[in-house]
Amino acid sequence: AQLPRCPFYKKIPGTKFVVDAFSYGEIQGITAYFLTHFHSDHYGGLTKNSTFPVYCNRITGNLVKSKLKVAEQYVHILPMNSEVNVDGVRVILLDANHCPGAAMLLFFLPDGQTVLHTGDFRADPSMESYPELLSCRVQTLYLDTTYCSPEYTFPTQQEAISFAANAAFELVALNPRTLVVCGSYSVGKEKVFLALAEVLGSKVCLSRDKYNTMCCLESEQIKKRITTDWKAAQVHVLPMMQLSVKKLRDHLARFSTQYDQLVAFKPTGWTFSEHVESLGDVQPQICGNISIYGIPYSEHSSFLEMKRFVQWLRPLKIIPTVNAGSWSSRKAMERCFGDWLSESKARL
Ligand SMILES: [Zn+2]
């Protein structure tokens, strides 16, 4: 079968670089394939047989080598927050506030242009004091536009975490024989199960495979908390697909000597069906001794967080990297960016 062509928004003009573009085969003229973070919609196409020259930071590199078995010689590890030269172009990796290892890429092109690629990110006011961003003027912004529409509002990560931790703490206080489950699909959202474990003074148990993934993240805080001994932890991490009443009932039955009820937390992003205006409105699905909470924990910017970041950065050109496939959604986003930038210009 013929591979699809690499779309323009994955290429950095004026360089021989692409970003998160591994599913198009070898791309003509490309000398460096940057990987912003270890989520499958970004690394898709990378396999143990890949020979792309991959550029990423150490955590993402650990995952690429350990999980995908890409050969060491093809994985080029770049430092965070310090300028490096890749094929004659100066590059700096910055924390993207997404999942562990997620980086934004700041390129200083030979023609003097400065380009920021956010990868996937959750914009945060703390980024407004990144010295690397304060000391330059970004002309072109490649932007994670996952939630680029005003209906996308959700609480801060800390609010979502506190909500889950409080709910778990209260349920366990009322009945110490409560098993706490947290859903996960890939790298990311570790802060949720760590907070649950911390508030309960428990370890977190995960599958052998997930345990190995966590070891790639080089976090002492995580390493201290995790185990693969299911009996030794009151917090169990399970694949998101297993968070149904039926499957959780089966899971609880395996630990019936220790526990007689189960509460599960499903950290999801924004969901239309479960969308709630505030955390106070979050209601669990309860079925007998099984309760399931959907937690609006997002690793992407809300609409207002994205707007604030763009108005602070004031780029000349914005290229959306998510929902960018259709002409109509690209046009809607362009209109939105135009409004933001003229608004921030008016204030100057
Ligand atoms: Zn991602």
Side-chain angles (χ1 to χ4, degrees):
Q2 215 189 333
L3 292 166
R5 276 179 69 94
C6 177
F8 72 94
Y9 57 84
K10 289 179 176 278
K11 293 180 171 169
I12 307 295
T15 69
K16 296 172 175 173
F17 301 164
V18 287
V19 177
D20 299 341
F22 299 97
S23 48
Y24 313 100
E26 200 179 305
I27 303 166
Q28 202 173 15
I30 297 304
T31 58
Y33 293 71
F34 284 84
L35 175 58
T36 58
H37 67 291
F38 196 74
H39 278 160
S40 59
D41 47 336
H42 296 259
Y43 67 66
L46 265 183
T47 68
K48 64 178 194 308
N49 301 319
S50 294
T51 57
F52 304 111
V54 180
Y55 288 80
C56 59
N57 68 11
R58 207 171 64 221
I59 290 175
T60 301
N62 291 342
L63 290 159
V64 163
K65 289 184 263 184
S66 156
K67 309 294 291 182
L68 303 178
K69 313 285 180 211
V70 174
E72 178 105 39
Q73 64 187 120
Y74 301 114
V75 183
H76 303 267
I77 304 299
L78 302 178
M80 292 297 290
N81 305 102
S82 67
E83 192 178 294
V84 284
N85 191 303
V86 178
D87 295 341
V89 177
R90 296 183 295 132
V91 184
I92 306 181
L93 273 62
L94 301 170
D95 190 337
N97 188 36
H98 180 60
C99 65
M104 303 196 281
L105 308 170
L106 185 60
F107 298 106
F108 301 100
L109 307 195
D111 68 355
Q113 293 276 311
T114 302
V115 173
L116 178 66
H117 193 300
T118 65
D120 277 355
F121 85 139
R122 182 159 182 181
D124 188 87
S126 64
M127 292 172 179
E128 295 166 17
S129 31
Y130 283 4
E132 300 84 353
L133 293 180
L134 282 168
S135 61
C136 71
R137 187 69 226 275
V138 170
Q139 276 94 21
T140 307
L141 175 65
Y142 288 72
L143 181 64
D144 168 12
T145 43
T146 301
Y147 294 131
C148 189
S149 188
E151 67 269 29
Y152 295 117
T153 62
F154 32 75
T156 65
Q157 289 184 349
Q158 194 47 57
E159 287 168 328
I161 286 172
S162 299
F163 175 85
N166 288 336
F169 185 81
E170 277 173 32
L171 286 162
V172 171
L174 284 170
N175 177 1
R177 288 171 54 85
T178 302
L179 175 59
V180 177
V181 167
C182 187
S184 87
Y185 2 61
S186 53
V187 182
K189 312 199 178 178
E190 293 76 13
K191 283 180 240 167
V192 180
F193 61 70
L194 286 178
L196 293 170
E198 232 154 76
V199 77
L200 299 175
S202 161
K203 291 239 171 191
V204 177
C205 186
L206 6 82
S207 67
R208 176 53 63 183
D209 183 58
K210 184 85 182 163
Y211 184 92
N212 292 340
T213 304
M214 292 301 112
C215 290
C216 292
L217 308 185
E218 300 188 351
S219 158
E220 279 311 310
Q221 202 206 354
I222 292 179
K223 252 181 230 161
K224 273 188 297 193
R225 280 282 169 197
I226 58 177
T227 173
T228 53
D229 177 1
W230 295 98
K231 294 237 146 83
Q234 193 167 12
V235 177
H236 291 182
V237 171
L238 296 179
M240 212 65 103
M241 289 185 333
Q242 269 181 253
L243 296 207
S244 67
V245 169
K246 191 192 167 303
K247 289 188 170 151
L248 291 172
R249 201 178 277 142
D250 294 344
H251 187 77
L252 177 61
R254 286 203 278 281
F255 302 94
S256 57
T257 59
Q258 283 178 287
Y259 304 109
D260 52 32
Q261 72 169 0
L262 182 154
V263 58
F265 296 93
K266 229 184 202 176
T268 54
W270 192 92
T271 55
F272 182 75
S273 56
E274 290 174 56
H275 186 59
V276 287
E277 278 309 312
S278 90
L279 279 164
D281 300 332
V282 171
Q283 289 296 334
Q285 175 196 356
I286 300 177
C287 198
N289 53 357
I290 308 287
S291 322
I292 306 175
Y293 285 85
I295 300 294
Y297 182 90
S298 177
E299 292 186 325
H300 295 276
S301 315
S302 69
F303 180 73
L304 289 178
E305 288 163 345
M306 198 188 307
K307 176 180 177 186
R308 175 174 168 151
F309 181 78
V310 167
Q311 290 192 326
W312 172 76
L313 194 71
R314 290 189 299 115
L316 298 178
K317 186 181 165 131
I318 302 176
I319 299 171
T321 62
V322 183
N323 304 320
S326 91
W327 185 84
S328 64
S329 93
R330 269 211 311 274
K331 284 293 141 194
M333 291 191 279
E334 266 169 36
R335 229 176 303 125
C336 183
F337 302 149
D339 292 347
W340 291 351
L341 293 172
S342 53
E343 207 181 285
S344 66
K345 236 171 255 154
R347 265 192 277 123
L348 278 180

